[in-house]
Amino acid sequence: MEKTALVTGASGGIGGAIAKRLHEMGYDLILMYGSNDAGISALTESLNSPKNVESIRCDFRDSRDMDSVSRRIAANHKNIEVIIHAAGISRRELFHEMQPEDFEDLVSVNIKSLYYITRSLIPDMVEKGTGDIISISSIWGSRAASMEVAYAMTKGAMEQFTRGLAAELSHMGVRVNAIAPGGIDTEILSNLSISEKDEFLSDIPFKRLGRPDEIADLVEFLLKKGRYMTGQVITLDGGYTL
Ligand SMILES: NC(=O)c1ccc[n+]([C@@H]2O[C@H](COP(=O)([O-])OP(=O)(O)OC[C@H]3O[C@@H](n4cnc5c(N)ncnc54)[C@H](OP(=O)(O)O)[C@@H]3O)[C@@H](O)[C@H]2O)c1
């Protein structure tokens, strides 16, 4: 049976780069995205053999939709070995000024989606005794993040999910890890002004943003070489948090 990887946020910079790498590694793909049809088409067309690639549009702000789509994927695909959770949104504003609907969206897209998708797919992984779940967290998942308090809350929750689920599933052959990037050159950073971006860059010892393919390198490492690793959150930030 072919091995399949499911990638959320596949229309985005990091999810797209990881999806591409997984395809090169021989995985069939289920690409989940929110609304960027053009982005997902461009990604699919860039793949060498797009025939074993399925794209699924699902707005993670809608819990009922997430639940039914996740159940349908689990019913139709019995060979998902890898889940990459790269969907995410961020907001920069004072915590007390954030509107409840924006807070709800952050929690739904960044975290609730992880609950719905993994709860549907874990049973098959456990039955087969193999599986990898890798989430894209952030350096703000474990550090103080002024102006991004709610975003950091979701990433902190993701990191506790990673450690707890790893403990729960390690004896069943399922590994759970997370990557905590610093600044990576994707669309999500467009919420920084030019001066904020310059200030951020000057604080990075490498003096550049990371590239999405550098996150894909780490995913490939985890899947191929990191077989004895679970419950880890790996920082990839050009030295920013040193
Ligand atoms: N880039 C960075 O500097 C950085 C640093 C640390 C952590 N991260 C994390 O890395 C992950 C990927 O970010 P990125 O840099 O690749 O950003 P991106 O290019 O903006 O991609 C975000 C992805 O999330 C999806 N998404 C957004 N809203 C959604 C919704 N309502 N329903 C379903 N999917 C939705 C987007 O899909 P559509 O566009 O199709 O809606 C897109 O595929 C995020 O979790 C982010 O927090 C990024």
Side-chain angles (χ1 to χ4, degrees), residues 20-237:
K20 222 169 170 166
R21 183 66 59 86
L22 290 169
H23 190 68
E24 287 161 11
M25 289 167 68
Y27 287 89
D28 290 351
L29 295 177
I30 300 171
L31 304 176
M32 297 191 75
Y33 68 108
S35 59
N36 184 358
D37 298 315
I40 214 78
S41 301
L43 170 65
T44 309
E45 281 160 23
S46 75
L47 301 174
N48 279 341
S49 54
K51 65 176 170 27
N52 295 328
V53 178
E54 181 181 344
S55 304
I56 298 176
R57 182 177 165 139
C58 176
D59 188 341
F60 288 162
R61 290 171 300 181
D62 180 344
S63 298
R64 274 180 310 182
D65 206 21
M66 264 192 289
D67 192 24
S68 64
V69 168
S70 303
R71 287 172 191 272
R72 203 170 63 231
I73 293 171
N76 294 342
H77 298 272
K78 295 290 170 201
N79 52 348
I80 297 176
E81 284 187 14
V82 174
I83 300 170
I84 307 289
H85 182 50
I89 51 176
S90 70
R91 288 191 71 91
R92 280 181 65 76
E93 60 194 318
L94 289 169
F95 185 68
H96 62 275
E97 289 181 357
M98 176 175 260
Q99 294 304 304
E101 54 275 22
D102 294 328
F103 180 74
E104 293 288 344
D105 284 352
L106 263 177
V107 173
S108 291
V109 175
N110 293 6
I111 277 296
K112 278 193 192 170
S113 53
L114 191 54
Y115 163 74
Y116 283 107
I117 289 164
T118 52
R119 83 190 278 263
S120 297
L121 300 179
I122 285 169
D124 280 332
M125 289 181 163
V126 167
E127 196 182 314
K128 291 196 181 63
T130 183
D132 275 277
I133 300 169
I134 302 173
S135 308
I136 308 302
S137 180
S138 161
I139 50 171
W140 304 122
S142 58
R143 286 170 188 84
S146 165
M147 298 295 286
E148 288 190 281
V149 175
Y151 174 76
M153 284 168 72
T154 66
K155 297 301 186 180
M158 182 181 275
E159 296 187 5
Q160 276 302 78
F161 161 91
T162 300
R163 287 183 276 267
L165 194 65
E168 196 165 290
L169 298 180
S170 52
H171 65 289
M172 303 180 206
V174 180
R175 301 180 318 129
V176 190
N177 290 293
I179 296 171
I184 306 295
D185 195 6
T186 73
E187 190 54 37
I188 211 168
L189 292 188
S190 60
N191 66 7
L192 296 180
S193 67
I194 291 178
S195 62
E196 285 170 333
K197 219 171 187 173
D198 285 347
E199 198 184 322
F200 187 23
L201 272 178
S202 70
D203 286 342
I204 302 173
F206 281 14
K207 300 296 171 209
R208 68 167 177 88
L209 293 173
R211 297 188 312 268
D213 65 282
E214 291 172 316
I215 306 275
D217 288 340
L218 189 46
V219 169
E220 182 172 356
F221 169 83
L222 280 170
L223 295 177
K224 280 187 175 163
K225 305 278 187 197
R227 304 306 306 168
Y228 201 54
M229 285 175 72
T230 195
Q232 302 306 304
V233 179
I234 305 158
T235 299
L236 193 126
D237 68 353

